[in-house]
């Protein structure tokens, strides 16, 4: 529901968010109250010492004060459990209860201070009583400090601007005033987000690129969040409901109809060939991450294998490879790719906003010059990712509407200039002129590699690009179609990044608002059920997301609905239930690069366990990645080590293809073929 308004300002917490924190504090207070009461009843006869009257008075007043606090907390928890996210009517007394609870902190702080002062006077009483009172004083101050920290966390810097508007309501403002207020809120939100990002990235440099990235990121966040009146727990509940809704829809769908004819051998051969290429070139994309990914993949043996390279004195010949301080990186790159030192032309781990690390190597097995661009590994890379507005590109590719993700296109242009202006590619092809150029990368590196391939293709017509888990919001429609001629993308499962774009985020926000508005369950039940479902699975039907007829009568006031969760006058305020959301002009529809191979998990191997996971591979259309899928593996499916394991599984399974000669019969010779043999036979048939 909308954030609570207390002391004339909006806070980033709703009246139904106090069930769990209230219950936790209530449990602590009850145990504390029982302990103090027991201490007083058992040892009140030992308080006839000097200063004992003060201690006795302290315990009695504390027992009474805790009893009042316990009653108040019980009321807060009970009221917070009432209603639904969009039906705050039963919780209208919450503000008064919170005022009472906050007022009780004043006598508690005063009494805790007096208790600390009395204990400091070295009162000669029973040690058990004195130690018990010391413990109560410490606990009192811990709770007080925790409350102050909580208030700081839920403080909304924009609350003072939004609260007057919330109290007035949209009906009391004309369209001009509403538009002015909304623009003011967006400007203030951009400033707040920019301050937050600068504090978070305080260790990042202050050059022009960084300042531009700060502004772009702040504008993106303010554009996405400024027109909703949701608190973080509302979003968590909405994501939980969406996950169950998606699973429910998937379970209710009938199996896909069997196609009338199987894919021809050339199509299958093409898929197998590209899978084998992906399996091979993924090693280079992983190597570009350097030693952190290698140690993560090999926690027990990795350090031993590359430890010598970390301390070894480098020769002048070695320093020619990129000239950067590579330290442990070079050893991990050699281990990951299986190449020799002499096979590397250039290695750079220079990392700034819009400037990505990359390596260039000679791959003699595939007779190719490989350019591998690193994915996200630093705050600078995150700022590059979040510079998500569209930018027009000046490309010589004969394609109209050449636009792309600004941050990634800037990073691709940096690598392009290094490759061409520094003569890196010229050096590589002077050594191996008959080789072809292959550009690879994972995640952010995949997006940069796809754009780099478009920039280089006019000079290298035989170029190929393999983009592993690329971001969706990358290319304009025309560039996406153009990239199909030379780019293959690989996506695993529910990976969120190939489905992530500003347009898809707007669609996700719309779906969250809808599912929240139609839910008839209290938020605490949604979150409890959601945690259980994410950890252990279950039947998504157990938590309905649509109001049934009988539930309407139990509501004390009508549902606020979807539009009540949006700021009046925002671009999405008047959306219909079926119309797609229009993105701002700076964030048009963008698409992933090239043809897409989708690896899907077969069956279920547990919510998190992947030991027995098996995967199938197929060509997929970009429209299958037009919605963000919610699930426990939406993040882990993006990890490069998980993708490498899935590729290993798919390639090994397809390599065990069983070839049965025609003619049938009981005596059939079964031959196990590797992918290359299978491709040869398929192309001959």
């Amino acid at each position: 529901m909308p954030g609570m308004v207390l002391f004339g300002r909006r806070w980033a917490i709703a009246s139904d968010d106090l069930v769990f924190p209230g219950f936790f504090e209530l449990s602590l207070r009850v145990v504390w109250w029982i302990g103090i009461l027991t201490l007083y009843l058992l040892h009140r006869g030992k308080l006839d010492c000097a200063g004992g009257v003060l201690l006795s008075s302290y315990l009695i007043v504390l027992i009474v004060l805790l009893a009042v606090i316990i009653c108040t907390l019980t009321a807060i928890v009970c009221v917070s459990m009432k209603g639904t996210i969009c039906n705050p009517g039963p919780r209208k007394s919450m503000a008064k209860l919170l005022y009472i609870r906050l007022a009780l902190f004043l006598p508690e702080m005063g009494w805790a201070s007096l208790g600390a002062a009395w204990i400091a006077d070295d009162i000669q009483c029973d040690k058990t009583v004195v130690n018990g009172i010391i413990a109560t004083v410490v606990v009192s101050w811990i709770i007080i400090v925790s409350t102050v920290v909580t208030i700081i966390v839920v403080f909304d810097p924009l609350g003072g601007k939004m609260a007057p508007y919330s109290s007035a309501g949209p009906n009391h403002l004309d369209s001009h005033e509403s538009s002015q207020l909304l623009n003011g809120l967006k400007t203030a939100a951009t400033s707040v987000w920019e301050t937050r990002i600068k504090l978070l990235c305080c260790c990042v440099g202050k050059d022009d690129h960084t300042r531009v990235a700060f502004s772009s990121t702040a504008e993106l966040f303010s554009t996405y969040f400024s027109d909703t009146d949701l608190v973080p727990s509302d979003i968590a509940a909405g994501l939980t409901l969406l996950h169950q809704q998606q699973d429910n829809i998937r379970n209710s769908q009938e199996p896909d109809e069997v196609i009338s004819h199987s894919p021809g051998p050339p199509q299958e051969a093409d898929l197998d060939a590209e899978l084998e290429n992906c399996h091979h070139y993924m090693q280079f994309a992983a190597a570009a991450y350097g030693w952190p990914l290698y140690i993560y993949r090999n926690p027990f043996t990795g350090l031993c294998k590359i430890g010598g390279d970390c301390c070894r004195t480098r020769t002048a010949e070695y320093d020619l490879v990129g000239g950067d301080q590579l330290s442990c990186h070079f050893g991990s790159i050699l281990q990951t790719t299986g190449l020799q030192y002499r096979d590397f032309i250039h290695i750079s781990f220079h990392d700034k906003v819009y400037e990505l690390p990359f390596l260039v190597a000679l791959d003699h097995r595939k007779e190719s010059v490989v350019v591998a661009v690193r994915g996200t590994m630093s705050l600078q890379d995150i700022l590059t990712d979040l510079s998500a507005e569209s930018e027009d590109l000046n490309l010589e590719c004969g394609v109209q509407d050449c636009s792309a993700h600004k941050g990634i296109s800037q990073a691709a242009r940096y690598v392009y200039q290094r490759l061409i202006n520094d003569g890196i590619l010229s050096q590589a092809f002077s050594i191996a002129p008959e080789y072809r150029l292959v550009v690879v990368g994972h995640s952010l590196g995949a997006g940069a590699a796809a754009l780099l391939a478009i920039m280089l293709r006019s000079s290298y017509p035989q170029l190929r690009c393999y983009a592993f888990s690329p971001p969706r919001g990358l290319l304009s429609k025309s560039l996406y179609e153009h990239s199909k001629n030379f780019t293959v993308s690989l996506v695993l499962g529910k990976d969120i990044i190939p489905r992530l774009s500003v347009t898809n985020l707007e669609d996700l926000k719309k779906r969250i608002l809808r599912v929240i508005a139609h839910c008839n369950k209290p938020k605490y039940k949604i979150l409890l059920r959601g945690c259980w479902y994410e950890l252990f699975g279950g039947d998504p039907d157990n938590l309905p997301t649509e109001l049934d007829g009988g539930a309407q009568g139990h509501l004390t006031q009508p549902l606020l609905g979807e539009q009540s969760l949006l700021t009046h006058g925002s671009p999405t305020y008047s959306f219909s239930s079926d119309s797609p959301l229009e993105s701002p002009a700076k964030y048009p529809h963008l698409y992933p690069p090239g043809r897409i191979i989708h690896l899907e998990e077969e069956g279920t191997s547990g919510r998190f366990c992947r030991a027995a996971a098996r995967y199938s591979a197929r060509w997929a259309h970009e429209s299958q990645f037009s919605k963000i899928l919610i699930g426990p593996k939406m993040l882990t499916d993006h990890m490069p080590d998980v993708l490498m394991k899935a590729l290993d599984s798919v390639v090994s399974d397809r390599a065990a293809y069983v070839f049965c000669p025609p003619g049938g019969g009981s005596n059939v010779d079964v031959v196990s073929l590797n992918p290359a043999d299978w491709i040869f036979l398929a192309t001959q048939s």
Side-chain angles (χ1 to χ4, degrees), residues 34 79 91 138 251 261 275 290 432 472 499 563 580 595 665 674:
I34 293 174
V79 171
R91 302 189 298 272
V138 172
N251 294 341
H261 62 278
L275 276 173
R472 175 177 176 83
R499 296 174 170 86
Q563 293 187 349
R595 296 184 297 160
N674 60 39

Side-chain angles (χ1 to χ4, degrees), residues 165-365:
Y165 174 65
S166 301
S167 60
N171 295 329
H172 293 80
L173 297 175
D174 59 30
S175 59
H176 178 68
E177 291 175 335
S178 178
S179 177
Q180 282 188 327
L181 179 62
L182 182 62
N183 291 333
L185 286 176
K186 285 185 175 180
T187 302
T190 302
S191 177
V192 168
W193 276 109
E194 187 165 356
T195 301
R196 289 170 173 170
I197 294 166
K198 286 180 179 179
L199 290 175
L200 183 64
C201 305
C202 57
C203 58
V204 178
K206 303 297 183 183
D207 57 16
D208 291 339
H209 281 170
T210 304
R211 284 190 286 270
V212 171
F214 283 156
S215 299
S216 298
T217 304
E219 188 167 354
L220 173 65
F221 281 132
S222 62
T223 298
Y224 185 70
F225 290 108
S226 63
D227 64 345
T228 60
D229 197 6
L230 298 175
V231 297
S233 61
D234 293 336
I235 299 174
L239 292 174
T240 295
L241 291 170
L242 274 181
H243 181 204
Q244 296 177 64
Q245 186 183 69
Q246 289 171 354
D247 286 354
N248 189 28
I249 294 173
R250 186 186 62 202
N251 294 341
S252 63
Q253 287 177 340
E254 295 182 1
D256 296 336
E257 295 182 3
V258 179
I259 55 177
S260 58
H261 62 278
S262 300
Q267 293 173 305
E268 284 298 313
D270 181 45
L271 177 59
D272 276 285
E274 295 296 6
L275 276 173
E276 199 278 331
N277 286 333
C278 288
H279 184 252
H280 176 77
Y281 288 116
M282 182 61 200
Q283 307 299 322
F284 291 89
Y289 281 99
W291 67 263
L293 178 60
Y294 183 78
I295 296 296
Y296 177 77
R297 292 180 59 209
N298 305 274
F300 301 109
T301 61
L303 191 58
C304 296
K305 290 181 179 179
I306 68 173
D309 292 304
C310 298
C311 306
R312 187 178 304 160
T313 302
R314 305 301 180 187
T315 63
E317 181 185 15
Y318 176 84
D319 290 335
L320 293 178
V321 183
D324 293 321
Q325 297 296 321
L326 302 181
S327 61
C328 304
H329 290 305
F330 195 70
S332 67
I333 292 172
L334 294 177
Q335 292 287 339
T336 302
T337 61
L339 300 181
Q340 303 297 319
Y341 160 75
R342 61 180 178 273
D343 298 325
F344 288 89
I345 304 299
H346 186 88
I347 302 174
S348 171
F349 276 86
H350 170 80
D351 188 14
K352 293 179 66 177
V353 176
Y354 303 154
E355 299 177 4
L356 299 179
F358 67 97
L359 62 87
V360 180
L362 300 177
D363 177 20
H364 303 295
R365 178 183 166 189

Side-chain angles (χ1 to χ4, degrees), residues 562-576:
E562 298 167 60
Q563 293 187 349
S564 68
L565 301 174
L566 289 167
T567 303
H568 185 67
S570 69
T572 55
Y573 180 79
S574 59
F575 64 73
S576 66

Side-chain angles (χ1 to χ4, degrees), residues 491-537:
V491 178
L492 175 63
K494 292 185 176 182
D495 186 353
I496 188 176
I497 300 302
R499 296 174 170 86
L500 194 63
S501 67
V502 175
T503 305
N504 283 8
L505 282 174
E506 288 288 342
D507 174 73
L508 178 65
K509 178 170 67 176
K510 175 181 176 180
R511 289 187 287 145
I512 287 176
L513 294 175
R514 181 176 300 157
V515 78
I516 286 176
H518 291 174
C519 182
N520 64 342
K521 299 292 182 182
K523 189 190 296 183
Y524 78 95
K525 287 187 177 180
I526 297 173
L527 296 176
L528 282 176
R529 165 66 180 167
C531 290
W532 180 271
Y533 186 77
E534 297 297 333
L535 293 173
F536 306 107

Side-chain angles (χ1 to χ4, degrees), residues 26 69-79:
L26 178 61
I69 292 175
I70 288 172
C71 293
T72 306
L73 289 173
T74 302
I76 289 174
V77 172
C78 292
V79 171

Side-chain angles (χ1 to χ4, degrees), residues 66-197:
L66 282 177
V68 176
I69 292 175
I70 288 172
C71 293
T72 306
L73 289 173
T74 302
I76 289 174
V77 172
C78 292
V79 171
S80 186
M81 295 170 70
K82 296 179 179 180
T84 63
I85 296 177
C86 286
N87 177 38
R91 302 189 298 272
K92 60 185 177 182
S93 60
M94 180 59 72
K96 296 178 182 178
L97 290 173
L98 285 177
Y99 286 137
I100 294 172
R101 176 66 191 93
L102 291 173
L104 289 173
F105 273 110
L106 297 177
E108 186 177 14
M109 290 177 63
W111 208 242
S113 301
L114 286 176
W118 290 339
I119 292 297
D121 286 342
D122 193 23
I123 297 176
Q124 301 298 322
C125 286
D126 184 77
K127 289 294 183 182
T128 303
V129 178
V130 174
N131 292 335
I133 293 177
I134 292 175
T136 62
V137 171
V138 172
V139 172
S140 295
W141 282 109
I142 290 176
I143 292 178
I144 292 169
V145 171
S146 300
T147 303
V148 172
V149 172
T150 302
I151 291 173
I152 294 173
V153 169
V154 301
F155 178 79
D156 185 356
L158 300 174
K161 298 178 180 293
M162 297 181 69
Y165 174 65
S166 301
S167 60
N171 295 329
H172 293 80
L173 297 175
D174 59 30
S175 59
H176 178 68
E177 291 175 335
S178 178
S179 177
Q180 282 188 327
L181 179 62
L182 182 62
N183 291 333
L185 286 176
K186 285 185 175 180
T187 302
T190 302
S191 177
V192 168
W193 276 109
E194 187 165 356
T195 301
R196 289 170 173 170
I197 294 166

Side-chain angles (χ1 to χ4, degrees), residues 1-19:
M1 65 162 289
M4 285 191 299
V5 177
L6 296 172
F7 302 107
R9 66 177 302 117
R10 178 190 181 275
W11 296 78
I13 189 171
S15 59
D16 53 356
D17 284 341
L18 301 174
V19 176

